[in-house]
Amino acid sequence: MKDSIIPGLVAGICIPIVFFFIVKGLGYLLGAFLFDGFNGFSLKLNCILAIVANLIPFQIFNRQGRYRAMQGVISMTFALIAAVLIYFRSAFFS
């Protein structure tokens, strides 16, 4: 198996997107079945948890010894952190 940066970049963007919608759906399910009046988690929390989900492919590539792919995951994680900081700049830097 060839070690390249491209699988890391792809995993670094796909895993947070999937995890974002999983957390969003979980928030809606909690509101529908357990807590009355709960409208789900905030967008900031969903975004932060989605970025933290990049630990999953990072650990997988680390155990496989695919260090170039880990570099791709880290690069995409920093890009996502920058995007979230720019989008929520008023909440983070007020």
Side-chain angles (χ1 to χ4, degrees), residues 6-68:
I6 300 298
L9 291 173
V10 171
I13 193 65
C14 290
I15 296 295
I17 289 172
V18 169
F19 200 80
F20 176 85
F21 287 111
I22 288 173
V23 172
K24 194 153 197 70
L26 180 65
Y28 288 144
L29 286 174
L30 286 174
F33 294 111
L34 293 178
F35 304 114
D36 291 333
F38 182 67
N39 295 327
F41 301 114
S42 70
L43 181 61
K44 284 187 285 190
L45 181 64
N46 286 342
C47 291
I48 291 170
L49 290 177
I51 292 172
V52 170
N54 262 346
L55 286 173
I56 297 168
F58 182 80
Q59 287 296 324
I60 291 171
F61 290 141
N62 187 24
R63 288 189 180 140
Q64 293 175 351
R66 297 176 65 190
Y67 301 112
R68 298 283 294 170

Side-chain angles (χ1 to χ4, degrees), residues 60-81:
I60 291 171
F61 290 141
N62 187 24
R63 288 189 180 140
Q64 293 175 351
R66 297 176 65 190
Y67 301 112
R68 298 283 294 170
M70 282 175 47
Q71 184 181 7
V73 172
I74 292 171
S75 300
M76 192 54 67
T77 302
F78 282 133
L80 289 171
I81 289 171

